[in-house]
Structure formats: structure tokens, C-alpha cells
Amino acid sequence: MAMLLFAVTRQESDSQAVVEWAADQQWSSGKVGLLGVSYYGATQWRVAARNPRGLTAICPWEGFTDFYRDFTRHGGILSNAFINTWWDKQIAPNQYGLPGRAASGWCPDTIEGDLSSEELTHNRENLLNGPRATLFRDGDCYSTREFDLADVKVPVLSIANWGGNSLHLRGNIQGFIHAGSEFKYLRTIVGRYDLPFYSDESGKVPVVTLTLRKGDVGFNNPLAEKLYNTRDEAEWPIARTKYTKFHLAPERTLTEDKNTTAGEVSYPALGNINDQHFVQFTTAPFVEETEITGHAVAHLNVSLTRDISGQAPADIDLFVTFRYIAPDSKEVHYTGTVGDPVPVAKGWLRVSLCQVNTEHPHHCEWRPYRDYTSKAYSPVMPGEIYPVDVEIWPTNVVAEKGGRVVLEVASGDTQGAGIFLHDDPQDR
């Protein structure tokens, strides 16, 4: 029976069997490599963690490594829109036995012929159903998809895209950091997810190669993006990084002066892409060129206030965006996953899941580690103040003299969310 499933143990074992079969063939050198973009990048990590016989190297290109944090629940908030679109347009039309595949030009018809609608329904698991029904990482939907990056032992070339700040970024960098491989390499790129994969490049691979986003070259312009410089590094995170604290002020400024006046700002809860609610904090113009490269955290103190009728939302969903304003006072947009305009970086957090596990070996000040389990859940009460650290996905921007950066805190998706909306009516 052909089952349509996603990121499950059965798929990993099948992939392991294929690798070992290829390695054993008479025509084979016995050395097998894996290469692929997006989902075909994500699956490589999972297969490599099994260490199949013959697997020699992997090149996961813009995938993800964490089914919960990177893909389905950003900061605990369901990332539903992309999953729905991907399922409807690219996964479901591939189901084995679906009538009319060849006639539609999608792919060949199946050998055994068409399956009935009842059989098709029985043979698939809708990708969104599990994440929608499972809020926590210790639920079956997630616990059965866990694996340990430290089990990946083969050489790795991990490709992360700065513009993939809702899917094709965090996992590749986490994979590079935590893979157990002796030989592992990281490269950050820009551009639409499907174009750089086919670029004609070769040569010796440095440990880390970073694309540096300086200036405004527009978005979805592959030729202009070649103007960005690159720089090789010996490690990630960069050892010489100077972690600098900026402080929020009631005047909605962002400053290195820690003696800012105490105060508060407010905005309506439960915003969405069509009804955006946010506050922005802006730095003064930089007095010299300043590079911002690495991991960032937004430390916020947040609370719920009842409305005039005495009602309050059941939780606080934080949507944090990092934007860059050029010296000409125009925001610079970069190329997103599908060629859409995106800001510098994004981060998310559902406050009821804000508990940080400081004892976990992956926890550090610049990347707080959360378990996102049912035991870590704590209800949010109106009037209580909650100090939270929001992980902002790793990023890079070179701020020019006269440029400014903006930290935006919102109650829903804002510009740059693109196809990665968080607007499921059951989750929010």
C-alpha cells in the first residue's frame, strides 16, 4: 500500500534502504551522496542521522531540521498558510493512484490504475491535521518525528538562505552547529529558494561562507544580488561577535543607553495581515557602517489588559520583526522564499510557552532553548507582567552610515510574512 505521509520514521527507513541498495550495486562505487532543496534538504538530516551504509556526504539546501520550531509552530504559533498551500499544490497532486495525473501533465498515471476517493483518503495523512491538533512537542505528532543532529556523522555542506526567514534558514544553521560531523561547512546565500540551487559554482569550500547584505539592490533580482560581497569565516557563530544590548524606550526609540525612562506602550491584540497592530522602536542613524551578523534576542516585558467589556485574549502571541531603514529613509527589502519582499529577520513566541530550559546544552544567551512541552505550558493571566526572550532567527545586514534599524513588535503577521501566515482560526 502506498501511503502519503510526511517526515515520518517510515520515510526515513525507506530512504535508508535506498541509500544502502545504491551502495551495494555492481555499478556503484559504494559511496552515496544526498543533495536536494527544501523538503529534499530537510529529509537528508533525518536519513543521515541513521548512518546508512554507503552514505558519504550530504548537502541539505535550504531545508529545516526541527519539525516544530522551524516548520510547523514558530515560537509555538501554528504556521498554517504555507502548509495548506504546499499540501494543496504540490503534495496532494502527487498521491499514488490519483486519477488524471498524466492527463494534467503533472506526473505519470500509476501502474495499478486509479484508486477510489475512499482509498485515497485512507492512504494519506493531511499534513496540517497533526500540527493543528498538537500544541506541544511531547504530543505524538512531534515526539515521533524527533531525531538528534549529533547522530549525523558524514560530511555536511549546509546551505542557509538569509531571505528564508520563516522556513529555509534556522534549521540549516542549527544543523551546522549541532551535527556530529568532523567535516561540516555552512554557506549563507540570498535569492529565491529555487534559483541559487542551480548556480554553476565549484572550488574549495571554506568552513563558513557568508553573503553580506549591504545596500539596496532590490528584491527578486538575481543579477543585482551578485553585487553582495561574501566573506569566509572559521566558525559560526563568529567568535569575535560583539553582542550589544539595545534598550526600548517609551518614545519608541532603540538605544544603547540603558538609563532609558521606564514606561509602557500598548497595541491591540489578535492582529493579522489584513488588520495589523504593532509598535516600532527605531535606532538613531548609525554614525558609521555597522555590520549585524548572527543571532538576536528580543527581551520584552508584556502583559494582557482587559477591554472595555472586561474580555481579554487567552494568550499573547508575539510577532517580532527586525527591519533596516537605509540612509534615504526607505526600508530595504530582501528576496524571500518565493521572490517576495522580506525584512531583515523575524521571530515569534506564544507567551504561555515562554518557559526557557536553561539547563539544556543547546541553551545560550543569544538563543534561548524552549522545550515547548505540555509541562512547560503556563496560562497567561490578564494584568500579570511576563518577561520573555523572543528568539529572532539568525541574520545579516550591513547598516550603512546614516542607516537605522527598527524592532517591530506585533500581535499578528505583518509585512514580510508572505505565504507563511499564522492565521488558523483554531489556533488563534
Side-chain angles (χ1 to χ4, degrees):
M1 180 187 299
M3 297 294 295
L4 184 57
L5 305 170
F6 184 91
V8 294
T9 302
R10 176 173 172 177
Q11 186 179 56
E12 296 163 18
S13 60
D14 288 349
S15 299
Q16 178 179 0
V18 170
V19 169
E20 295 181 347
W21 172 87
D24 291 342
Q25 297 310 297
Q26 187 175 7
W27 44 259
S28 173
S29 67
K31 296 181 178 180
V32 179
L34 297 179
L35 169 67
V37 63
S38 194
Y39 184 60
Y40 304 111
T43 54
Q44 291 176 54
W45 298 103
R46 310 177 71 87
V47 176
R50 288 173 164 255
N51 291 290
R53 183 180 65 259
L55 184 61
T56 305
I58 62 172
C59 182
W61 195 292
E62 299 187 52
F64 60 86
T65 56
D66 192 312
F67 190 69
Y68 189 100
R69 298 175 179 88
D70 302 344
F71 181 42
T72 61
R73 283 193 170 271
H74 294 150
I77 307 168
L78 184 64
S79 178
N80 60 292
F82 170 73
I83 298 174
N84 269 331
T85 299
W86 190 43
W87 174 268
D88 290 341
K89 292 186 176 181
Q90 292 185 274
I91 300 178
N94 270 311
Q95 185 173 5
Y96 190 86
L98 189 71
R101 299 199 312 178
S104 67
W106 186 257
C107 51
D109 288 330
T110 47
I111 298 173
E112 291 86 354
D114 298 341
L115 298 180
S116 67
S117 59
E118 292 78 10
E119 290 175 303
L120 291 169
T121 299
H122 180 267
N123 291 353
R124 65 175 176 250
E125 177 189 340
N126 187 291
L127 176 55
L128 188 59
N129 288 352
R132 175 186 280 141
T134 312
L135 277 64
F136 311 118
R137 261 186 61 243
D138 48 351
D140 286 346
C141 171
Y142 294 105
S143 61
T144 56
R145 289 176 164 93
E146 293 282 313
F147 72 101
D148 191 345
L149 283 164
D151 292 334
V152 177
K153 305 297 185 183
V154 297
V156 177
L157 173 57
S158 181
I159 312 294
N161 193 321
W162 290 136
N165 55 20
S166 295
L167 179 62
H168 287 156
L169 174 60
R170 183 185 186 276
N172 278 89
I173 290 180
Q174 288 290 96
F176 169 78
I177 293 173
H178 298 299
S181 310
E182 178 182 0
F183 302 102
K184 53 183 180 178
Y185 309 89
L186 173 67
R187 184 179 180 189
T188 66
I189 61 173
V190 295
R192 210 174 73 190
Y193 88 99
D194 55 337
L195 295 182
F197 181 72
Y198 298 101
S199 60
D200 184 16
E201 297 182 34
S202 61
K204 186 177 180 180
V205 179
V207 174
V208 176
T209 300
L210 304 177
T211 298
L212 305 176
R213 299 189 295 186
K214 177 181 176 180
D216 188 355
V217 302
F219 66 92
N220 202 22
N221 188 336
L223 291 178
E225 287 167 338
K226 291 183 180 295
L227 297 173
Y228 287 138
N229 291 325
T230 62
R231 186 180 69 230
D232 297 339
E233 295 287 349
E235 73 284 308
W236 180 277
I238 303 171
R240 65 182 184 279
T241 299
K242 179 184 177 183
Y243 292 96
T244 306
K245 293 184 178 181
F246 283 76
H247 303 270
L248 311 183
E251 299 79 20
R252 303 195 182 189
T253 58
L254 197 59
T255 174
E256 291 186 63
D257 181 6
K258 64 181 180 181
N259 296 315
T260 56
T261 304
E264 64 180 41
V265 295
S266 61
Y267 58 93
L270 299 178
N272 59 66
I273 195 66
N274 297 313
D275 185 23
Q276 300 179 21
H277 302 305
F278 56 83
V279 291
Q280 293 182 331
F281 302 85
T282 308
T283 66
F286 286 97
V287 298
E288 60 182 0
E289 182 177 289
T290 303
E291 179 183 334
I292 302 169
T293 300
H295 300 255
V297 173
H299 178 77
L300 306 171
N301 294 291
V302 298
S303 67
L304 275 177
T305 303
R306 298 184 186 277
D307 62 21
I308 193 171
S309 65
Q311 300 299 309
D315 213 321
I316 303 175
D317 286 348
L318 297 171
F319 292 71
V320 176
T321 302
F322 181 26
R323 303 186 184 277
Y324 173 59
I325 310 299
D328 63 3
S329 297
K330 295 180 180 178
E331 182 179 355
V332 179
H333 290 134
Y334 307 92
T335 304
T337 297
V338 293
D340 50 318
V342 298
V344 176
K346 283 186 172 290
W348 307 263
L349 181 63
R350 177 158 286 170
V351 172
S352 60
L353 291 169
C354 69
Q355 183 182 106
V356 174
N357 183 354
T358 58
E359 300 302 316
H360 195 279
H362 291 180
H363 172 77
C364 49
E365 185 178 10
W366 44 264
R367 191 194 58 242
Y369 185 90
R370 291 187 170 86
D371 293 317
Y372 292 110
T373 61
S374 54
K375 292 182 179 179
Y377 171 81
S378 180
V380 173
M381 306 302 295
E384 294 289 329
I385 297 176
Y386 297 90
V388 298
D389 290 320
V390 182
E391 175 191 355
I392 299 175
W393 281 19
T395 192
N396 160 268
V397 64
V398 179
E400 303 144 294
K401 179 180 179 180
R404 294 167 291 148
V405 297
V406 174
L407 181 73
E408 174 185 282
V409 182
S411 59
D413 292 305
T414 59
Q415 187 283 324
I419 60 175
F420 299 96
L421 298 177
H422 309 73
D423 60 0
D424 186 81
Q426 294 183 39
D427 188 69
R428 298 197 73 229

